[in-house]
Amino acid sequence: MPVASLAKVSVSPAAAGDFTVRAPCIYGKRLVSNRVSFGKLRRRSCIGHCVRSELQTSRVLGSVTDLSLDNSVENGHLPKGDSWAVHKFGGTCVGNSERIKDVADVVVKDDSERKLVVVSAMAKVTDMMYDLIHRAQSRDDSYLSALDAVLEKHRATALDLLDGDELASFLSRLHEDVNNLKAMLRAIYIAGHATESFSDFVVGHGELWSAQMLAAVVRKSGLDCTWMDARDVLVVIPTGSNQVDPDFVESEKRLEKWFSQNSTKIIIATGFIASTPQNIPTTLKRDGSDFSAAIMGALFRSHQLTIWTDVDGVYSADPRKVSEAVILKTLSYQEAWEMSYFGANVLHPRTIIPVMKYDIPIVIRNIFNLSAPGTMICRQIEDEDGYKLDAPVKGFATIDNLALVNVEGTGMAGVPGTASDIFSAVKEVGANVIMISQASSEHSVCFAVPEKEVNAVSEALRSKFSEALQAGRLSQIEVIPNCSILAAVGQKMASTPGVSCTLFSALAKANINVRAISQGCSEYNVTVVIKREDSVKALRAVHSRFFLSRTTLAMGIIGPGLIGATLLDQLRDQAAVLKQEFNIDLRVLGITGSKSMLLSEIGIDLSRWRELVNEKGTEANLDKFTQQVHGNHFIPNTVLVDCTADSAIASHYYDWLRKGIHVITPNKKANSGPLDQYLKLRDLQRKSYTHYFYEATVGAGLPIISTLRGLLETGDKILRIEGIFSGTLSYLFNTFVGDRSFSEVVAEAKDAGFTEPDPRDDLSGTDVARKVIILARESGLKLDLADLPIRSLVPEPLKGCASAEEFMEKLPQYDDDLAKERLEAENSGEVLRYVGVVDAVNQKGTVELRRYKKEHPFAQLAGSDNIIAFTTTRYKDHPLIVRGPGAGAQVTAGGIFSDILRLASYLGAPS
Ligand code: ADP
Ligand code: ASP
Ligand code: MG
């Protein structure tokens, strides 16, 4: 795509000509009208409303002559003004006969009084035409067969669309044109060279043919419709650097003349092509039909310009590169210009200036999706109360294939004219400067130019500054190839602090190095130069930072066993509500078990995660898994959720936290493992801004860790924590009553699935001991598992049983011991409870079978509930008690889920 240079933005005074006088009439008349017809928005009735400048308002009041313009039809003059709607249809809109019919339908159904339609060549035809020239000038006679293909494409389309005289007349014109082209290409072939005007003449034929066919199809519906060869009307002045400037005064004169000979209410005009003042055919350069349409809109003072294309409007980023790009409802003229200048090729950058002058809104719409309202481009948008709507950043765009030129030297500082010398050298080689940045020390000036122009630029600079280089006033003229520009665009960036900071932190998170920065005083854009290879990654990274929910989390779930699977199902059920109501967007990008893993770039469909793991799972690899989930640059925050009980997985937490990955887990291994590793982990956690949550390690979903933290952080002092921390053991002792034996109760619990497959894992007390260690450490005690006396309920001789079955079989032999203990307790009005204790006063912990009075809260427990009592300086006489179900997949997963939400709120989710 040719890129307009910044210097070309303004309309030259001569070209602006008498536009100023006539424009206002539109408003004078339209203030009373509020008609909104198919796909168009009146200048005064856009969403909110478009704010016109004072200058234009005053012109509204002062224009009397203008009103006469609309009445001038009878005099054979062109009736300019709001009665005209201008439409432009891009190449894809007229890509085949069916599509041309659809376009004709849109034209016919538009109820505007008068319509001017600008049309591109059929999709790919302009490329085919350039290819003809290329072949001919390379003396490759295949240009003839290529020309036949062009002929055939249009002949076949016409046969589909037309019949009778219309068909005959089109085909005769087509053959005549092709014969002329053949002669011209032959000349090019012989010369081995095509002049620019030869080339422009050839390539413009696509538009000549598409316009004639469309006009004929519209006529088929019974409407009066004339096609316009825009070369008869549009006059443009070549400016060098592959651009042309419209000559509005001359074009207007020619338009008046054309209209006096073709007075009609529907005109189908060719896009792209025009004439020089000397009547030589030329073009508005690649993608120039948008510009043609804008010039027409201005010439006709139309009430709107609708640009029809193949996407729903202007997206916040190129939808081919950023799948999550969103449609922008509105853009100001400046924003649209900046977006297109910096690479959003949905709109040619030069489209804006002609229509902006008359406040003509542009609406970008999708011919393939008529129900989409499109993007409205107009003056700034305000709501009814005068507030400027809109986000500070509207969109991002990139330009690739650039090179940076860096001119550096101490001799530049304070020397007037250095910049002028640099850029005049650049101008002499006709290169297009896309951005400039100069450090205020004046020590260096750097600028970006298209890669293909950089050699010429650097040679010109070296020759211009050879003396300065020799004398050492300039130290170097350096070329940095393979660069891209990324621009953030938005009118409100100026008044919103912190936008640049957010932009740069998103780039930093994606590990993208910024080579140069530029922000103009208007602050409509912030531009950064990056490596070419980082271009798409950078675009995605910054887009996600501004456009995704602030608390979008990339999640990796490790261990989809019972708890992990329940968590995934809970996420599935709740994700939509979280997104809608709390702006929290949780994306599971990976699920890994010990054997296979499933990864996704945008998020796994949780309604089918089980099938997807089966169908698309690949061999599990934790490093790859982490890299992929964290390496997703769409999403600013990553959390790994470890739902295993594996110490090998826990050993990675330190590394993950160091990389900025948040960790959430019910796995007790890290916090109850070796003390030195635990302390290292917590130390890192405190120093970093990365979070580590583990509420579900104790009491499943019960608020135990958070309660303890709340007490400590508010200055309370923990004296003792005592509790029934095992759901299984809670159940066993709540049921071990009357004349029931302990082994009987264990067997029953095992059968009901309340115990681990081998009940010794519960009865050994290690699990409770780990919880005690976690709480003790949380309270500041430096204890290791080995420091804890544990009362194991596994009789010593049964520790070595080879299987759970053997253990269960032999357990009744030891029933008497516990029965005796129970009886002693009962005799003193007490019950047995298996508890963990953190004795903070004496810096100790224990796991033991204790006796409690029948009135004690621990004796009142039912089922598998947990109960934890915190005795603190504040809660001394009556401990603070947390009680509730402390085991089971649902509540454990619920505990993990609430840690995930806590993380989201730490990261800025609304409360
Ligand atoms: P036409 O032939 O209709 O002029 P173009 O191909 O010139 O269409 O422009 C439309 C294309 O621009 C879209 O298909 C889209 O892929 C691309 N594009 C690039 N950036 C953007 C953006 N920010 N918003 C919308 N489209 C974009
Ligand atoms: N047909 C021309 C091109 O492809 C102009 C346009 O479609 O905008 O460049
Ligand atoms: Mg285009």
Side-chain angles (χ1 to χ4, degrees):
M1 193 200 76
V3 177
S5 93
L6 280 166
K8 292 277 172 278
V9 181
S10 59
V11 174
S12 69
D18 56 353
F19 274 31
T20 8
V21 188
R22 292 179 184 176
C25 66
I26 300 162
Y27 299 108
K29 295 187 85 186
R30 280 297 156 195
L31 283 171
V32 289
S33 161
N34 202 23
R35 184 171 61 117
V36 181
S37 59
F38 177 77
K40 58 194 182 218
L41 291 147
R42 305 237 145 236
R43 260 167 283 182
R44 297 289 302 168
S45 62
C46 42
I47 312 161
H49 64 268
C50 308
V51 184
R52 280 182 291 122
S53 64
E54 274 182 23
L55 178 67
Q56 279 152 334
T57 314
S58 64
R59 280 194 265 131
V60 172
L61 301 174
S63 70
V64 178
T65 32
D66 297 336
L67 291 174
S68 64
L69 279 171
D70 273 4
N71 298 330
S72 57
V73 208
E74 297 90 51
N75 312 335
H77 287 301
L78 174 65
K80 294 179 190 171
D82 260 11
S83 61
W84 286 98
V86 173
H87 294 267
K88 179 259 169 175
F89 294 92
T92 41
C93 302
V94 290
N96 58 40
S97 52
E98 279 313 304
R99 292 185 180 172
I100 294 175
K101 280 188 208 156
D102 293 341
V103 167
D105 207 38
V106 169
V107 175
V108 169
K109 284 189 179 144
D110 175 4
D111 63 0
S112 301
E113 197 181 334
R114 299 183 175 87
K115 296 169 261 196
L116 176 106
V117 174
V118 173
V119 67
S120 287
M122 292 175 76
K124 306 221 170 71
V125 166
T126 311
D127 291 339
M128 291 166 92
M129 303 306 278
Y130 275 108
D131 181 53
L132 293 178
I133 293 165
H134 175 74
R135 290 179 199 229
Q137 69 184 2
S138 323
R139 301 219 167 95
D140 172 353
D141 51 21
S142 67
Y143 76 85
L144 283 168
S145 54
L147 180 60
D148 278 346
V150 171
L151 170 70
E152 192 41 46
K153 183 177 175 87
H154 289 87
R155 210 176 71 86
T157 310
L159 283 171
D160 270 356
L161 291 171
L162 309 174
D163 41 37
D165 287 351
E166 289 280 19
L167 177 64
S169 125
F170 176 78
L171 289 181
S172 133
R173 169 79 198 248
L174 177 67
H175 282 103
E176 195 184 317
D177 287 343
V178 168
N179 283 336
N180 287 337
L181 284 174
K182 217 175 259 175
M184 182 156 275
L185 290 165
R186 174 82 188 141
I188 293 172
Y189 180 90
I190 292 167
H193 171 72
T195 62
E196 197 180 333
S197 48
F198 268 36
S199 166
D200 280 352
F201 174 80
V202 173
V203 298
H205 276 73
E207 272 72 8
L208 289 171
W209 297 325
S210 60
Q212 291 174 73
M213 283 193 286
L214 179 60
V217 178
V218 173
R219 279 194 295 272
K220 264 178 97 174
S221 66
L223 295 173
D224 181 25
C225 170
T226 311
W227 84 281
M228 173 199 277
D229 178 345
R231 295 174 301 185
D232 297 338
V233 173
L234 280 192
V235 178
V236 295
I237 303 159
T239 64
S241 60
N242 200 33
Q243 292 213 8
V244 293
D245 279 342
D247 180 341
F248 285 99
V249 177
E250 185 57 29
S251 301
E252 196 148 313
K253 269 194 213 150
R254 293 192 185 193
L255 176 61
E256 295 275 4
K257 186 168 167 226
W258 185 93
F259 196 82
S260 67
Q261 294 159 359
N262 297 280
S263 187
T264 172
K265 288 193 168 178
I266 307 179
I267 303 169
I268 311 285
T270 54
F272 187 46
I273 55 176
S275 291
T276 67
Q278 295 75 33
N279 294 323
I280 296 168
T282 186
T283 68
L284 274 59
K285 312 307 164 196
R286 287 314 307 257
D287 296 314
S289 293
D290 295 342
F291 189 24
S292 305
I295 301 169
M296 288 296 185
L299 290 173
F300 282 86
R301 318 289 199 270
S302 68
H303 72 258
Q304 181 172 297
L305 164 59
T306 310
I307 295 188
W308 295 87
T309 182
D310 59 353
V311 283
D312 281 354
V314 181
Y315 280 89
S316 51
D318 189 335
R320 292 166 299 188
K321 295 179 183 159
V322 180
S323 57
E324 314 207 296
V326 293
I327 281 287
L328 302 171
K329 273 196 201 141
T330 59
L331 277 175
S332 71
Y333 288 123
Q334 282 87 351
E335 288 169 336
W337 186 82
E338 299 268 359
M339 282 290 281
S340 58
Y341 175 83
F342 285 106
N345 56 333
V346 64
L347 194 69
H348 189 285
R350 302 203 68 197
T351 316
I352 301 297
I353 304 297
V355 290
M356 183 164 115
K357 192 162 178 48
Y358 298 101
D359 267 354
I360 299 170
I362 305 177
V363 180
I364 313 279
R365 294 197 58 193
N366 189 352
I367 188 81
F368 304 109
N369 181 13
L370 296 180
S371 62
T375 299
M376 159 83 121
I377 300 167
C378 59
R379 212 163 278 276
Q380 204 160 25
I381 305 292
E382 289 180 357
D383 69 7
E384 268 128 35
D385 303 324
Y387 287 113
K388 292 185 177 61
L389 303 169
D390 281 349
V393 175
K394 294 298 263 314
F396 297 95
T398 48
I399 308 178
D400 293 329
N401 304 324
L402 299 178
L404 259 191
V405 181
N406 185 29
V407 183
E408 212 172 291
T410 43
M412 284 165 71
V415 181
T418 312
S420 148
D421 286 349
I422 293 173
F423 292 108
S424 65
V426 177
K427 182 172 179 273
E428 278 156 29
V429 296
N432 186 14
V433 176
I434 291 160
M435 62 92 77
I436 304 169
S437 161
Q438 180 183 6
S440 55
S441 71
E442 297 183 55
H443 185 74
S444 75
V445 172
C446 85
F447 55 93
V449 292
E451 191 112 55
K452 59 182 188 318
E453 291 168 1
V454 76
N455 286 341
V457 168
S458 91
E459 267 167 40
L461 288 172
R462 276 176 224 286
S463 118
K464 185 148 209 156
F465 291 103
S466 64
E467 247 179 54
L469 282 164
Q470 258 164 19
R473 274 178 282 124
L474 282 191
S475 56
Q476 63 166 344
I477 295 169
E478 182 195 9
V479 170
I480 305 162
N482 302 321
C483 291
S484 290
I485 276 183
L486 168 84
V489 174
Q491 201 145 343
K492 266 183 64 182
M493 276 166 36
S495 53
T496 314
V499 174
S500 309
C501 163
T502 312
L503 180 80
F504 290 112
S505 71
L507 291 170
K509 197 234 159 191
N511 205 14
I512 289 162
N513 192 25
V514 173
R515 293 199 151 149
I517 303 167
S518 150
Q519 172 171 354
C521 294
S522 72
E523 295 188 55
Y524 290 146
N525 84 69
V526 177
T527 311
V528 295
V529 179
I530 51 180
K531 270 197 254 166
R532 165 77 186 87
E533 68 203 54
D534 286 340
S535 169
V536 173
K537 186 163 93 168
L539 192 60
R540 290 177 179 174
V542 295
H543 186 273
S544 65
R545 191 66 190 84
F546 285 91
F547 283 86
L548 291 189
S549 138
R550 206 155 28 121
T551 41
T552 301
L553 277 176
M555 298 180 39
I557 309 289
I558 304 166
L562 186 58
I563 290 170
T566 312
L567 174 67
L568 285 163
D569 291 342
Q570 289 181 356
L571 286 167
R572 174 200 62 205
D573 297 341
Q574 196 59 15
V577 178
L578 287 173
K579 194 164 174 194
Q580 220 161 14
E581 290 181 19
F582 302 99
N583 204 19
I584 298 172
D585 188 356
L586 303 177
R587 310 268 183 100
V588 177
L589 299 191
I591 300 174
T592 183
S594 54
K595 294 202 179 70
S596 69
M597 65 178 180
L598 175 69
L599 294 165
S600 156
E601 284 257 321
I602 48 166
I604 294 167
D605 174 2
L606 292 184
S607 66
R608 305 176 49 227
W609 70 266
R610 287 182 179 80
E611 291 127 82
L612 291 171
V613 170
N614 285 338
E615 286 164 17
K616 303 209 167 133
T618 53
E619 195 186 337
N621 177 327
L622 194 61
D623 283 343
K624 239 186 183 169
F625 180 82
T626 313
Q627 221 171 42
Q628 174 112 6
V629 176
H630 186 50
N632 184 305
H633 303 293
F634 289 95
I635 303 178
N637 293 295
T638 310
V639 56
L640 290 179
V641 183
D642 171 18
C643 298
T644 70
D646 191 342
S647 50
I649 305 282
S651 70
H652 290 279
Y653 296 174
Y654 185 85
D655 210 36
W656 291 342
L657 290 177
R658 226 180 33 179
K659 285 185 179 139
I661 303 173
H662 310 286
V663 178
I664 289 175
T665 188
N667 180 353
K668 292 179 272 293
K669 294 292 160 53
N671 281 13
S672 62
L675 182 64
D676 56 337
Q677 284 176 32
Y678 167 81
L679 292 173
K680 218 175 115 198
L681 183 67
R682 297 304 303 272
D683 191 44
L684 172 70
Q685 180 202 359
R686 285 195 189 107
K687 283 186 194 139
S688 71
Y689 290 93
T690 317
H691 300 287
Y692 170 43
F693 295 140
Y694 41 83
E695 180 66 85
T697 52
V698 183
L702 295 178
I704 294 172
I705 306 275
S706 52
T707 303
L708 176 54
R709 281 231 172 155
L711 294 170
L712 290 168
E713 283 165 11
T714 57
D716 204 352
K717 207 164 162 272
I718 305 295
L719 302 175
R720 184 181 177 88
I721 304 169
E722 187 169 332
I724 297 174
F725 294 109
S726 157
T728 312
L729 287 154
S730 173
Y731 175 85
L732 292 178
F733 285 94
N734 294 338
T735 330
F736 179 39
V737 288
D739 53 5
R740 307 197 68 190
S741 73
F742 190 67
S743 62
E744 197 184 317
V745 173
V746 173
E748 190 182 275
K750 183 177 185 304
D751 290 346
F754 294 165
T755 67
E756 293 296 323
D758 187 337
R760 283 176 295 181
D761 292 343
D762 298 304
L763 299 176
S764 69
T766 319
D767 186 64
V768 175
R770 286 192 182 279
K771 290 172 182 166
V772 170
I773 289 291
I774 292 171
L775 293 177
R777 287 176 177 177
E778 200 70 36
S779 314
L781 273 61
K782 293 202 165 54
L783 290 183
D784 243 325
L785 210 50
D787 302 327
L788 230 60
I790 306 171
R791 163 78 191 268
S792 172
L793 297 176
V794 182
E796 195 58 42
L798 300 191
K799 282 187 178 154
C801 288
S803 68
E805 287 68 35
E806 187 191 338
F807 166 72
M808 290 304 292
E809 209 180 287
K810 294 186 176 157
L811 189 60
Q813 298 168 17
Y814 300 89
D815 275 344
D816 286 353
D817 300 348
L818 275 178
K820 201 167 139 234
E821 270 188 70
R822 184 180 63 183
L823 188 66
E824 276 170 23
E826 267 172 12
N827 290 342
S828 344
E830 290 174 337
V831 295
L832 292 178
R833 291 295 180 257
Y834 193 79
V835 296
V837 178
V838 176
D839 177 355
V841 179
N842 298 304
Q843 305 276 300
K844 283 194 324 205
T846 52
V847 175
E848 54 192 301
L849 194 58
R850 283 174 68 96
R851 286 159 50 166
Y852 293 90
K853 286 278 174 223
K854 287 215 165 95
E855 309 72 48
H856 192 276
F858 284 20
Q860 315 294 318
L861 229 48
S864 60
D865 276 7
N866 280 192
I867 186 162
I868 294 95
F870 295 94
T871 310
T872 71
T873 12
R874 284 182 203 147
Y875 295 94
K876 202 165 180 180
D877 299 331
H878 298 285
L880 186 149
I881 288 184
V882 179
R883 174 190 163 164
Q890 284 295 343
V891 288
T892 308
I896 305 169
F897 199 168
S898 76
D899 270 352
I900 296 170
L901 296 185
R902 183 179 336 184
L903 174 64
S905 84
Y906 276 38
L907 297 173
S911 54

